Every structure is written in structure tokens, then in C-alpha cells.
């Protein structure tokens, strides 16, 4: 497949909140042209699992993870904006993470990779922006973990971003979301193949990853969507009179989860998953100002758009309201949009009909 | 500990929907006195995990799982009613289940136990009622799986119950709930110690059970409750500057889940858990009439009280409405109560303040 990835090789040491990396790499993709004043950049952060491939391009025509949102004439219009998306530090799609080789030891980092925080992801993308000559971005944007990281960027670098677009994100994770992610991590770690992170390439903890991903997927969607998708009248696939006790899959929803989870488990490094998952739990906007309210009062943002989905159980509407109210209290001109989208936390990736016009209005 | 359990030893064969048991046992407890006409019996079904010990008594003064609801002067008043609660067939607290010895082979049933359905649990309790001389119960009642089983009883034995109390139950499980329970079962089955159900007494799949129970518990409560319980400002327990990468527990909510899950994993038989969990998924009121509506039109009930909790994500309010509307359509005098209770699916076990007066009104 063609590759649109570019790479920033960081020279020397990269200081993280809880450690140091030596000469890490940050992978990124860009769309559109940076104007002469370098004033039209949209810095986009990703959710936990995607690469930097947010949209198709001539170099890589495969659809990106936010394809409907980014491109010529689309809400984030690449005829007007220069869009930059970095693969998260700690991930496994070109940026340095636990699966990468430590240039000092010549061995994969594994668990010697420093504890990862969203602050580190924000900082690594900031290096890319500066490398490209961007001192201030027009908008910092993202959904889910990407929305938290975008907020984190605004908190870490006051005045470096004029606008914020945060979709289905939060100032910090609720105990419910932490419990769900903690359990996913524990399931991976309890796979005997995990081997305290030292699993081989040949026998990674694929089974734990598969089960963890199923749990993740259940929380990313909503009960309403699944009731619609799988129907209320035909959810059983078992044949009548089947007395098997194998406890094999008998329901449509089980087969759906299995297929998708296997794909993910075969494509994502388990240690990277653990690090990124924990980074979401550790983020707390209050770390940047003594309290959430004080932090949100210090961004220097001009405008923000905060979007949530009514059916999101991981980052529910009240968290979007908290974020919108906090920024408003900090003097930011906030557009708050609560969309009646049925696909839960993942709605922003799927529900173009509802999200497209709203984001278009903001840009 | 003193034991209030009594046992019905079924003579000969017990026909299940999908198989047969030879001379099974059903454990039960009772409270209050059966009147001369045997007209004051309340038949109570349990959720997935409890025993028949729904309330304390002289013989067993330890608190039961619905202690606040049952007793002299309580909503289900044992000065007026004779309350009968059976340990579910397939469970492991006195009734015959997969962990019991098959009287034919002398070996534990394990996976040779026939596929279990809520119909089988209802039928086994019906045998106990008849054994006690009860031809028609005043009320059949239960919460969660117990509410589904109570409904199942009313569908299986039209005219055998005058009233129904179904709390946080459903006419069938939504795909979301099925997905959550299916994943719990898969986690248990993927524990290497499960051994296709042939685990030894010494090395049961405790780890899988522990993880599965955590997932169950997360779905039994609500995000709101946990935000209150663990606070929005103090959910992290890690020390600042802790750079450990052990991925050990760092959040209060993780420790809470761990303690409770270990207790459960050490006290519940894994195969019984699998059977009971699947029985909830397999139940569909439509099996008793061609459609849910047709089934609910055939109960012969006089009155029903349907109670739900607004924060229940497993059996959400719309399922309570479906059940209430269906019974009303079937000519039943229905009291529908949607309580603004914060503890999710488990609210009825905890929130005495909200549930007590409502159930009292019904009785």
C-alpha cells in the first residue's frame, strides 16, 4: 500500500512527564497547504487505536479514520486548512512506543518505555508542528482520547492554539470508564502469553487482546444501536432444539464482536495498547491549574466547539457540559453541541449526517 | 452458621426444556405461615448469584439478599404472607446444578448438565410450591434474573399466580446485555484452569471468574453512582511521581472491584455461573406465545407491579415499559414504577428508601 507517512526524528533527548526517550520518532500525515503566515494549521489528535491516516490522499488513497470530515470541500476543508495528524507517541504506527527499539539498548522498550501520559503525546505533536514552522495552530482538534489530548495541548501551550474542537472527550475519565479500561488491561496482562510484557513476536497475547477489544467495543457503542442493528426479534442464531453445551457463540452480536476483535488483536501491539489505555485514565485537566475550572480558565483560546453524543456511556453528556461550561467560564466563545446520535462513544466516527454540518459550522 | 434451608428431593425424572435430570434436589427457605386456604404464598425468584436466603430468620439470623423487603411489618410482610424462595436449579447453594453429583453416574455433572433455561428454574420452584400444598400463589416475584423467571412462571403456569412483581427485569435480554454476559462467560472459559469444565476442586478457574465478576459488577452499577462513590476529584490513588510500569491498580475503583470480585470467585462454582448466565440470554417471552405481546396477553394475572431504575444499563427503562405495556394490553391491572435510583441494575438490592414504599403499596 502507498504510504503518506512522514517522520520527525527528534534530535537528542525527549523529556516526558515521567521519563526520557532518546531520539524518538513521530510519524505524521498532512493534507492541504500551509499558508505563508503558517496560520491555517489544524492539529488533529487521534483516539486510542488509529494511525495518523485520518483521511485519504494522493499518496495513500485508502479511507482514513475521519474520512468524511477532512478533505477538499469537507468540514475541515483542506482547500483552506493545512491539516496535521500525528500518530500518538506510544502507539505502534510509526511513532516510537513500547514496541519500538530503544536506540540506547538496541532492544525493544517493552515495559522500560516510560509511563505515558497524554501530555507526552501533545508535546510530541507540538514538536512536529514547530518542525513544520507552525508557532500557533488555527485549531487543535480530536475525538475521544484525541479530544482529551487536544484539550491537554491547549492547557500545556496557552496561546499556541486559537481554537479547540473537542468531540466526545472529557476533562478526565469517570470511574466507570476507568474501571472498564482497567479491566481491559488486566485481561491482556492475564493472558499467559503476555509474559510481563516480554512476549515474542510469534506468540503475543492475542487472546487477551481479543477479549479486551470486545469489552472496549461494547463500551464504544450503545445498547440502542445494537438493539437496532441486531433486532429485537432475531438475536438468537442457535437452532431450536440445539442442546450443545459448548458455550460457543449463539447470538449474532457475539459473532460480530468476534470478527472485529480478532482483526484488532492481530494488528495492534499489546504493550502499546496498555500504555495508551492507561494514559487516558491518568489524564486530569486539574493537573494544569489546581482544579478543572482553574485549568480551563487558562487556555487563552478564542473559540471552542464541544460536541457530545447523547448515547455515549464512556464520556457522557454531563462531561461535555462540564468542559463547555468550564471553557465558557474561562472567557472562551464556546459552541456546545449535544447530538442525538445512537452509536455511543463512536458516533463521531460514523454518524456523518449529524456531525458533518455541526463541525462545518464551526470551521 | 445455622441453616434455614429445606430440601425437596424430586422423585424420579425431572424434565427440562433441553434434557432430563434424575432425582434432583431443590433447596429453599420459607418465612411466615401458609394460611389454611394456601392462598397467601409469595413465590420469590433470585438473581443470578444469590442463594435462597432472601431474609434472616430464627434459624439463620444472617441478613438475606433482600433483607429490607421481607419480614414482619416489611413490604412483603411475613405476618401476612408465606414467602418461599428457591435456590435456582443450576446454582450451587443446595439445588442441583453442574457442580452436583449426577445420581446416575456418581460423577459431577459438569457440562453433562443439560442446557439450563429459566423455564427449568420456574418449573423446579413450582414443584416446591405444590409440595407445600400451594396450587396458586398470591404473587410471583423477583428482581433481575429473578424477575425474568417470575415472568416465565406466569407464562408457563397461567392462572397459577394472581399477581406478579417484576423488578429490573425484561421480556428478553438486549444484545448489549447479551454481549456483556457472553464476554463474561468467554473470560471464564479462556482461563486455562477451566479445562472445558473439568477443573479440579483445587484449581478452579478463579482468575477468569474474578475478571468476569468485575465486568459483571461494572454493568450492575451506574456511572453516576461511581462518580459519587469515588469522587470526581480523588479517584487516583497513585503517588505523584510514581513511574512504575507494573500496570498495578492505581485507582480506588480498581481496588473496590478487586476485593469484591475475589470474594465472589472464591464462592461460586464456575460452571454454575456459565449455565445461569446463559439461561438469562436464552430467555425470550415470545417463546410462550408467538410474540412478546401475545405471550404477555396470556398470563391470567390480575395485577402486576413493574419496577425499573432509570440508571439501569442492563435492563433499561424501555424494557420495563415494554413489559408494563404488554401486560396492560393483556388485561392485567399494572402499576408501573420507574424509580430515579442511582445504583443501576442493582438498585433494588440497595436503595431501600426508593423501593420499599413502592413495593409496600403493591402488597
Amino acid at each position: 500500500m502507498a504510504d503518506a507517512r512522514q517522520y520527525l526524528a527528534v534530535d537528542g533527548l525527549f523529556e516526558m512527564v515521567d521519563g526520557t526517550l532518546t531520539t524518538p520518532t513521530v510519524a505524521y500525515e498532512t493534507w492541504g497547504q500551509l499558508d505563508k503566515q503558517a496560520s491555517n494549521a489544524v492539529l488533529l489528535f487521534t483516539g486510542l487505536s488509529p494511525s495518523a491516516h485520518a483521511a485519504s490522499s494522493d499518496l495513500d488513497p485508502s479511507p482514513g479514520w475521519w474520512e468524511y470530515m477532512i478533505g477538499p470541500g469537507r468540514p475541515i476543508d483542506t482547500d483552506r486548512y493545512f491539516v496535521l495528524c500525528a500518530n500518538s507517541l506510544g502507539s505502534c504506527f510509526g511513532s516510537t512506543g513500547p514496541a519500538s527499539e530503544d536506540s540506547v539498548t538496541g532492544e525493544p522498550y517493552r515495559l522500560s518505555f516510560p509511563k505515558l501520559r497524554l501530555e507526552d503525546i501533545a508535546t510530541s505533536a507540538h514538536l512536529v508542528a514547530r518542525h513544520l514552522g507552525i508557532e500557533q495552530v488555527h485549531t487543535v482538534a480530536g475525538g475521544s482520547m484525541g479530544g482529551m489530548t487536544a484539550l491537554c495541548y491547549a492547557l500545556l501551550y496557552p496561546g499556541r492554539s486559537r481554537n479547540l474542537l473537542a468531540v466526545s472527550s472529557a476533562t478526565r475519565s469517570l470511574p466507570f470508564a476507568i474501571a472498564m479500561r482497567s479491566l481491559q488491561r488486566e485481561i491482556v496482562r492475564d493472558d499467559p502469553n503476555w509474559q510481563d510484557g516480554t512476549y515474542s513476536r510469534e506468540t503475543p497475547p492475542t487472546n487477551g487482546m481479543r477479549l479486551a477489544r470486545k469489552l472496549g467495543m461494547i463500551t464504544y457503542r450503545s445498547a440502542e444501536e445494537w438493539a437496532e442493528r441486531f433486532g429485537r426479534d432475531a438475536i438468537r442464531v442457535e437452532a431450536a432444539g440445539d442442546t450443545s453445551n459448548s458455550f460457543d457463540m449463539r447470538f449474532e452480536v457475539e459473532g460480530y464482536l468476534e470478527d472485529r476483535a480478532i482483526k484488532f488483536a492481530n494488528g495492534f501491539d499489546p504493550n502499546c495498547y496498555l500504555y495508551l489505555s492507561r494514559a487516558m485514565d491518568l489524564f486530569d485537566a486539574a493537573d494544569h491549574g489546581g482544579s478543572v475550572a482553574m485549568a480551563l480558565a487558562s487556555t487563552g483560546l478564542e473559540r471552542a466547539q464541544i460536541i457530545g453524543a447523547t448515547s455515549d456511556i464512556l464520556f457522557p453528556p454531563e462531561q461535555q457540559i462540564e468542559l463547555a461550561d468550564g471553557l465558557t467560564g474561562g472567557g472562551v466563545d464556546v459552541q456546545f453541541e449535544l447530538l442525538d446520535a445512537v452509536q455511543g462513544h463512536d458516533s463521531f466516527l460514523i454518524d456523518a449526517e449529524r456531525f458533518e454540518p455541526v463541525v462545518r459550522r464551526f470551521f
Side-chain angles (χ1 to χ4, degrees), chain A:
Chain A
M1 194 194 299
D3 196 343
R5 275 185 212 166
Q6 303 174 69
Y7 298 90
L8 170 65
V10 177
D11 195 20
L13 297 182
F14 177 81
E15 295 292 337
M16 298 169 68
V17 174
D18 289 308
T20 305
L21 295 175
T22 305
T23 63
T25 298
V26 187
Y28 62 95
E29 291 193 28
T30 68
W31 300 260
Q33 299 295 323
L34 190 63
D35 63 19
K36 284 187 183 156
Q37 299 77 31
S39 67
N40 69 334
V42 175
L43 174 57
L44 181 63
F45 289 100
T46 81
L48 186 150
S49 51
S51 72
H53 191 58
S56 60
S57 61
D58 289 345
L59 283 169
D60 182 354
S62 65
W65 57 264
W66 222 4
E67 184 71 22
Y68 78 82
M69 198 65 93
I70 301 161
R74 294 200 170 129
I76 305 179
D77 187 348
T78 52
D79 287 338
R80 296 171 55 206
Y81 295 102
F82 174 73
V83 180
L84 160 64
C85 181
N87 180 227
S88 300
L89 191 76
S91 180
C92 50
F93 300 118
S95 291
T96 297
S100 308
E101 187 180 286
D102 180 348
S103 62
V104 176
T105 65
E107 295 288 321
Y109 281 103
R110 307 185 190 277
L111 300 200
S112 75
F113 196 84
K115 180 185 279 185
L116 180 72
R117 293 177 183 268
L118 299 189
E119 282 80 355
D120 305 317
I121 298 172
T123 300
S124 67
H126 181 61
L127 291 185
V128 176
R130 297 197 64 178
H131 166 72
L132 297 173
I134 303 161
E135 291 297 319
Q136 185 190 50
V137 300
H138 179 281
T139 298
V140 61
S144 183
M145 187 185 90
M148 296 174 92
T149 315
L151 171 63
C152 182
Y153 185 90
L155 295 170
L156 270 182
Y157 303 107
R160 293 278 189 175
S161 178
R162 300 220 301 279
N163 307 295
L164 166 70
L165 167 62
V167 184
S168 300
S169 74
T171 60
R172 57 186 152 195
S173 293
L174 291 174
F176 174 81
I178 290 174
M180 283 292 192
R181 278 193 295 270
S182 168
L183 184 53
Q184 290 165 46
R185 296 194 294 275
E186 194 172 1
I187 290 169
V188 172
R189 292 158 48 217
D190 274 2
D191 184 323
N193 283 356
W194 186 57
Q195 298 279 336
D196 289 324
T198 65
Y199 49 85
S200 69
R201 272 171 200 268
E202 292 71 34
T203 56
T206 308
N207 201 41
M209 285 290 281
R210 185 178 56 80
L211 294 174
R213 185 59 172 182
K214 284 189 186 180
L215 177 50
M217 288 176 62
I218 298 172
T219 64
Y220 299 156
R221 298 304 180 89
S222 76
E224 302 95 291
E225 185 207 358
W226 282 3
E228 283 178 18
R229 181 195 288 256
F230 298 107
R232 289 173 188 268
D233 291 316
I235 55 174
R236 288 188 291 194
V237 276
E238 64 169 3
D242 176 359
T243 60
S244 161
N245 266 325
S246 67
F247 288 95
D248 284 346
M249 294 181 296
R250 288 285 181 274
F251 297 91
E252 272 188 71
V253 64
E254 295 176 295
Y256 167 84
L257 286 172
E258 178 76 4
D259 292 345
R260 304 269 300 240
I262 286 175
K263 277 186 198 131
F264 180 80
N266 288 329
F268 208 93
D269 177 72
N271 285 340
C272 292
Y273 182 73
L274 295 177
Y275 272 81
L276 288 161
S277 168
R278 185 178 55 181
M280 290 183 78
D281 290 357
L282 292 173
F283 178 67
D284 189 338
D287 290 344
H288 301 275
S291 72
V292 170
M294 288 167 69
L296 296 180
S298 69
T299 62
L301 290 164
E302 295 168 15
R303 295 167 62 237
Q305 187 177 51
I306 308 301
I307 311 180
T310 49
S311 59
D312 187 346
I313 58 173
L314 274 187
F315 296 98
E318 58 265 32
Q319 292 202 289
Q320 314 310 320
I321 293 169
E322 181 197 23
L323 179 52
D325 287 352
L327 289 170
T328 301
V332 184
D333 176 15
V334 176
Q335 286 182 20
F336 172 64
E337 304 278 356
L338 184 58
L339 303 183
D340 190 23
V342 79
Q343 287 102 342
H345 184 63
D346 269 358
S347 294
F348 72 97
L349 296 172
I350 306 156
D351 193 345
E353 197 183 332
R354 283 195 176 78
F355 283 80
E356 210 261 15
V358 168
V359 173
R360 187 181 292 278
R361 205 180 316 138
F362 184 64
F363 278 93

